[in-house]
Amino acid sequence: DAGITQSPRHKVTETGTPVTLRCHQTENHRYMYWYRQDPGHGLRLIHYSYGVKDTDKGEVSDGYSVSRSKTEDFLLTLESATSSQTSVYFCAISELGPRTGANVLTFGAGSRLTVL
Amino acid sequence: KQEVTQIPAALSVPEGENLVLNCSFTDSAIYNLQWFRQDPGKGLTSLLLIQSSQREQTSGRLNASLDKSSGRSTLYIAASQPGDSATYLCAVLITGGGNKLTFGTGTQLKVEL
């Protein structure tokens, strides 16, 4: 997990409340990603970023928004949390872009979110 | 839609055994395939990345092979140790799918003393 920090690591919240998860990197990598991991589904991409203020949707983006105002920070926001968003959220970074074919991903330790 | 399957879902072996983990994917138009290790309560650690033009990659006791035409990859672990116990996931990046890695659901490996 060197160079990439997620916060908070654990959070319990109630349905309808907003939640923001933070991913902070010290590697100065251009590419950042948010995934969620659920039993039976593996990891699924929520949003990703290829630079400051440049973001795009992933496979399961509904109900989530992201922002990247600085290279080192990538925020994931649940505008109004629902129970279906209970999951473990992982941030990942890569130095090279996906289309180079050589983009090794480094993952954070994860943020466990429980929505009651 | 790319689908990635890992069989078996769980595997238990005695220490010292050589073993093979399997990964299959349905769309052969890929940029690369990666193998990751995940320890309980932890994030994923990249083990090996094989680019589409490569056939295999090696790192220590690990060897990963890629056969694009058949949609298969294997991760070979030599002389397994209890410290190898973890969940192993493969993921593929397809050429026509934006920037999305598609993950398998993993093989949970336990190496027993």
Short mmCIF file of all heavy atoms in Angstrom, two decimals, chain B residues 2 13 31 48 61 71 107 109:
data_model
loop_
_atom_site.label_atom_id
_atom_site.label_comp_id
_atom_site.label_asym_id
_atom_site.label_seq_id
_atom_site.Cartn_x
_atom_site.Cartn_y
_atom_site.Cartn_z
N GLN B 2 -17.10 -8.92 -21.91
CA GLN B 2 -16.01 -9.78 -21.43
C GLN B 2 -16.41 -10.45 -20.13
O GLN B 2 -16.90 -9.82 -19.21
CB GLN B 2 -14.75 -8.93 -21.22
CG GLN B 2 -13.54 -9.66 -20.66
CD GLN B 2 -12.86 -10.57 -21.66
OE1 GLN B 2 -13.28 -11.70 -21.85
NE2 GLN B 2 -11.80 -10.08 -22.28
N VAL B 13 -3.88 -27.18 -0.62
CA VAL B 13 -2.79 -28.08 -0.99
C VAL B 13 -1.81 -28.19 0.16
O VAL B 13 -1.70 -27.27 0.99
CB VAL B 13 -2.06 -27.58 -2.26
CG1 VAL B 13 -3.02 -27.49 -3.45
CG2 VAL B 13 -1.38 -26.24 -2.02
N TYR B 31 -5.56 -6.04 -24.18
CA TYR B 31 -4.28 -5.36 -24.08
C TYR B 31 -3.32 -6.16 -23.22
O TYR B 31 -2.14 -6.28 -23.50
CB TYR B 31 -4.45 -3.98 -23.44
CG TYR B 31 -4.88 -2.89 -24.38
CD1 TYR B 31 -6.10 -2.26 -24.21
CD2 TYR B 31 -4.06 -2.46 -25.42
CE1 TYR B 31 -6.50 -1.24 -25.06
CE2 TYR B 31 -4.46 -1.44 -26.27
CZ TYR B 31 -5.68 -0.84 -26.08
OH TYR B 31 -6.08 0.16 -26.93
N LEU B 48 1.95 -10.29 -11.56
CA LEU B 48 2.52 -10.39 -12.91
C LEU B 48 1.57 -9.73 -13.89
O LEU B 48 0.35 -9.82 -13.73
CB LEU B 48 2.72 -11.86 -13.31
CG LEU B 48 3.81 -12.63 -12.56
CD1 LEU B 48 3.64 -14.12 -12.74
CD2 LEU B 48 5.19 -12.19 -13.04
N ARG B 61 9.05 -17.70 -7.80
CA ARG B 61 8.38 -19.01 -7.92
C ARG B 61 7.10 -18.96 -8.74
O ARG B 61 6.40 -19.97 -8.86
CB ARG B 61 8.07 -19.54 -6.51
CG ARG B 61 9.31 -19.87 -5.68
CD ARG B 61 8.93 -20.44 -4.32
NE ARG B 61 8.23 -19.47 -3.48
CZ ARG B 61 6.95 -19.53 -3.18
NH1 ARG B 61 6.19 -20.50 -3.65
NH2 ARG B 61 6.40 -18.61 -2.39
N GLY B 71 -8.19 -18.03 -25.03
CA GLY B 71 -8.78 -17.28 -23.93
C GLY B 71 -8.42 -17.83 -22.57
O GLY B 71 -9.28 -17.91 -21.69
N THR B 107 -9.50 -17.25 -6.98
CA THR B 107 -9.30 -18.58 -6.40
C THR B 107 -8.69 -18.39 -5.02
O THR B 107 -7.64 -17.77 -4.88
CB THR B 107 -8.37 -19.44 -7.26
OG1 THR B 107 -8.99 -19.72 -8.52
CG2 THR B 107 -8.05 -20.76 -6.55
N LEU B 109 -6.70 -19.73 -2.17
CA LEU B 109 -5.70 -20.78 -1.98
C LEU B 109 -5.30 -20.90 -0.51
O LEU B 109 -5.02 -19.91 0.15
CB LEU B 109 -4.45 -20.47 -2.81
CG LEU B 109 -3.24 -21.38 -2.60
CD1 LEU B 109 -3.54 -22.79 -3.07
CD2 LEU B 109 -2.01 -20.82 -3.31
#
